[in-house]
Amino acid sequence: MTWPRPVPIIGDQSAASERAGDPSGWALGEQVAAALATVLGARRDVRRYRPDPVPAELLDAVLGAGHQAPSVGHSQPWRFIVVREAATRDRAVLLSDRERLRQAEQLEPDRRARLLDLQLEGIREAPLGIVVACDRRAPAAGVLGRASFGDADLWSCACAIENMWLTARAAGLGMGWVTLFQPADLVELLHLPPGVETLGWLCLGWPDERPPEPGLQRAGWSQRLTLDEVVMSERWPDDDQAPPPSYLATAAQAVPPASQQAQLAAPTAGAVVSARDSGDRLLTAPGSLGVLDTMVNRVLALGHAELTGGTLALVFAQHPVTALGVSAYPAGVTTDVLAATLAGEALGAVTAAATGLAIRSVWASARSVQGDLVRTDALTPADTARLLAEGSELGRSLAADGLVCLGEVAVGNTTVAAALAGVLLGVPATDVVGLGVGADAAMLERKREVVDTATERARVEYGQDLREPTVLLSALGGPEFAMLTGVVLGAASAGAAVVLDGLATSVAALLAVRMQPVAQAHLIAGQRSRERAHGLVLTELGLEPLLDLRLRSGEGVGACLGAQLLLAGLRIRRTVGRVSF
């Protein structure tokens, strides 16, 4: 049965089916597109002006266009200072003329003479000056998008200038952008407070020239590059001097040779959109289940709409580092948990059964002697390669049964995970070493010393090569980390969704992503545990956890609980009533 689609009375009233049926339906029509192309092609940097005043309504239209510009984090950092007073403009001319001479002195004689022949501003002639200032006083971290690109607020102001320029041209006004200033001089002239920067001076008025092409091009100063010269395909070319490959290359030309192709594949754009659209067809607001909806979309994009179960891959191992006093429990606990797991009575096994998951228990071990990290490497390169291969084969085989959930049992492996995470994230031991289960303050300090000493030894021995995941696994890892990394890669290569548990499984997933970045598209964070480094690793993976229950259990418990939520979400997506359109 279908139900009438609830149509919101505010916001976007279109539905996914409408957008899919006519992807170009938002277009404004050929006439508008042609007019826009005309305005773009006719925009010029005007230097000569008539003294006639600009009507107030046109000034408002130009400023309003600037205020409609896109801005990072909707911060709207632009401030428009309209200058009419002749004294201010006269002072600006002096500053501009002074800077023009300074810049000319940096050129060779002929180029200097040609620069001085050019009229580069109309500050005094234009009836209006507009200075676009950028208010940068809001902390970058507090503006969405500026924490990573700190100058994005300046780019937003540049977008505002372009909006103003095009609007002025469409109205028959001329605009010129003058940057022949020392920024500090313009700040002083306009009494800008600290933290407010200027993007230069805009001249606005009726043009006393109607240039058919850009002024500097007409004067022979420079020529417009062709589009092919400025657009590159996929990445910057290795040969910086070679012409970039055409971005118009056919799909066949764009595909790298088989030897260079990644072994894994992310969902196609069509699959991602189709998964998201499926939520729009339900009798509920899209995204109503929050993070769970997002993760359901991820599983659907991988092609698993009918998924009803999966397997917990529980990997056991031992670590010589426990002899250094970094764990509250003896190493023999690992074998006890394995026995209980095989009996179906360990916490992980019981949780897997309660959530309808099968369980596969594997003991990961080295064939050569394992090191304690501090004095010697954890694994030989041969053991690392073998465990990765075995894990990959296991991951591929489990993928056929649905979700692949990861778990581990290995006394002492929070110390190993902290050492690996510290190198992967480039952070000190104090940021990644946590208490672990049952530890006290003295043990925490020993763990920090062990992690610091081990990572310093590995860095001295391997240098920059320590960034290579297989080298890092051998130097500071352990059997279960190598095998779990392989499981992630194998399951992802078979198209499965992989549900992570705590810090150890997440570190293994990060190692897999460093080897094959596309593996990230297959990962789901079942939980965020109490371990200090876990949140940092999940952030590095770009994953938001389904659960945050402060678990310390290990054994894949968090992955199983997260999988139960995920399977419930898939059932919801399959069975909730649909809407009619």
Side-chain angles (χ1 to χ4, degrees):
M1 181 174 180
T2 59
W3 304 86
R5 175 176 175 262
V7 180
I9 60 174
I10 59 173
D12 184 1
Q13 298 185 0
S14 67
S17 58
E18 298 171 44
R19 299 190 293 271
D22 184 12
S24 63
W26 208 33
L28 298 177
E30 293 183 4
Q31 186 175 358
V32 174
L36 176 60
T38 298
V39 174
L40 287 170
R43 184 207 55 78
R44 294 291 179 265
D45 202 346
V46 174
R47 305 304 188 185
R48 303 175 186 275
Y49 297 87
R50 304 298 304 164
D52 309 72
V54 174
E57 63 271 17
L58 281 184
L59 175 59
D60 284 346
V62 170
L63 295 174
H67 192 41
Q68 288 181 299
S71 63
V72 61
H74 204 234
S75 54
Q76 306 164 83
W78 45 72
R79 300 295 182 266
F80 307 123
I81 304 172
V82 180
V83 180
R84 294 183 175 87
E85 292 182 357
T88 304
R89 286 188 287 152
D90 288 343
R91 175 65 177 165
V93 169
L94 171 60
L95 297 174
S96 178
D97 284 347
R98 180 188 299 160
E99 184 61 21
R100 184 170 69 122
L101 290 173
R102 285 174 176 164
Q103 292 192 20
E105 291 303 321
Q106 301 175 37
L107 303 176
E108 54 91 16
D110 180 65
R111 194 81 165 165
R112 174 183 181 278
R114 292 176 62 193
L115 171 62
L116 295 177
D117 286 340
L118 297 172
Q119 179 173 346
L120 297 178
E121 50 80 16
I123 298 172
R124 186 177 280 117
E125 296 95 322
L128 292 174
I130 302 174
V131 174
V132 178
C134 184
D135 190 343
R136 314 193 71 188
R137 291 176 291 185
V143 178
L144 183 64
R146 270 194 69 203
S148 48
F149 285 93
D151 289 336
D153 52 345
L154 294 171
W155 309 340
S156 300
C157 292
C159 290
I161 290 174
E162 180 72 359
N163 272 16
M164 296 163 69
W165 217 335
L166 296 174
T167 301
R169 178 64 188 90
L173 290 168
M175 179 173 281
W177 190 353
V178 186
T179 56
L180 289 170
F181 295 98
Q182 286 292 320
D185 291 342
L186 206 51
V187 165
E188 181 182 1
L189 175 65
L190 299 169
H191 304 284
L192 301 182
V196 178
E197 298 182 19
T198 174
L199 279 77
W201 183 293
L202 302 177
C203 302
L204 182 67
W206 300 108
D208 199 27
E209 59 176 339
R210 296 177 181 176
E213 57 187 5
L216 292 180
Q217 181 174 319
R218 190 171 67 255
W221 185 266
S222 61
Q223 295 295 317
R224 186 183 298 278
L225 299 173
T226 65
L227 187 59
D228 261 350
E229 292 177 284
V230 298
V231 181
M232 302 176 190
S233 179
E234 304 299 340
R235 62 189 62 83
W236 201 279
D238 294 333
D239 183 354
D240 200 22
Q241 305 304 314
S246 173
Y247 69 101
L248 297 174
T250 65
Q253 292 171 318
V255 175
S259 61
Q260 298 178 18
Q261 293 180 33
Q263 298 175 5
L264 311 183
T268 65
V272 172
V273 173
S274 177
R276 188 189 64 215
D277 285 352
S278 71
D280 196 60
R281 291 189 285 269
L282 302 181
L283 188 60
T284 183
S288 57
L289 297 183
V291 178
L292 182 56
D293 260 334
T294 302
M295 293 300 103
V296 167
N297 288 345
R298 176 167 288 208
V299 174
L300 292 177
L302 292 170
H304 302 306
E306 303 303 318
L307 196 66
T308 58
T311 305
L312 170 63
L314 192 54
V315 183
F316 296 77
Q318 289 185 328
H319 293 281
V321 74
T322 56
L324 302 179
V326 296
S327 176
Y329 295 93
V333 170
T334 300
T335 55
D336 293 340
V337 175
L338 174 59
T341 298
L342 295 176
E345 297 179 0
L347 183 60
V350 171
T351 307
T355 54
L357 299 173
I359 184 168
R360 179 76 68 88
S361 300
V362 181
W363 187 278
S365 60
R367 290 176 180 169
S368 302
V369 177
Q370 281 184 244
D372 65 3
L373 280 65
V374 170
R375 290 177 289 248
T376 54
D377 285 353
L379 299 169
T380 64
D383 273 333
T384 298
R386 175 182 55 80
L387 288 162
L388 281 168
E390 290 177 0
S392 181
E393 183 179 352
L394 175 61
R396 283 193 294 271
S397 68
L398 297 180
D401 297 322
L403 295 174
V404 177
C405 304
L406 304 187
E408 41 67 38
V409 180
V411 172
N413 75 357
T414 58
T415 299
V416 180
L420 291 169
V423 175
L424 287 167
L425 302 176
V427 297
T430 52
D431 290 346
V432 291
V433 174
L435 277 171
V437 179
D440 58 14
M443 184 167 286
L444 176 64
E445 188 56 36
R446 281 198 297 278
K447 287 178 69 172
R448 287 173 177 161
E449 291 175 0
V450 166
V451 171
D452 272 338
T453 305
T455 53
E456 179 60 24
R457 176 197 64 80
R459 286 191 175 105
V460 168
E461 185 168 346
Y462 294 103
Q464 294 300 314
D465 290 343
L466 195 61
R467 297 180 180 180
E468 167 60 39
T470 55
V471 174
L472 179 58
L473 272 169
S474 296
L476 297 174
E480 81 276 32
F481 288 94
M483 181 167 281
L484 286 167
T485 300
V487 171
V488 173
L489 293 171
S493 70
V498 179
V499 185
L500 309 179
D501 184 31
L503 175 60
T505 63
S506 299
V507 166
L510 182 54
L511 285 160
V513 169
R514 291 289 172 88
M515 295 179 185
Q516 293 276 355
V518 76
Q520 192 270 350
H522 296 258
L523 300 179
I524 293 166
Q527 62 133 344
R528 176 169 48 222
S529 71
R530 281 286 303 277
E531 276 302 311
R532 184 180 182 89
H534 196 192
L536 296 175
V537 173
L538 291 181
T539 297
E540 184 72 10
L541 284 168
L543 299 177
E544 189 174 1
L546 287 170
L547 296 168
D548 193 348
L549 301 176
R550 301 194 300 277
L551 298 180
R552 286 195 180 279
S553 54
E555 300 184 45
V557 170
C560 292
L561 295 175
Q564 185 177 32
L565 267 179
L566 192 59
L567 292 171
L570 288 165
R571 286 194 297 273
I572 290 169
R573 189 68 67 91
R574 289 193 296 265
T575 56
V576 164
R578 265 50 177 176
V579 298
S580 56
F581 298 99

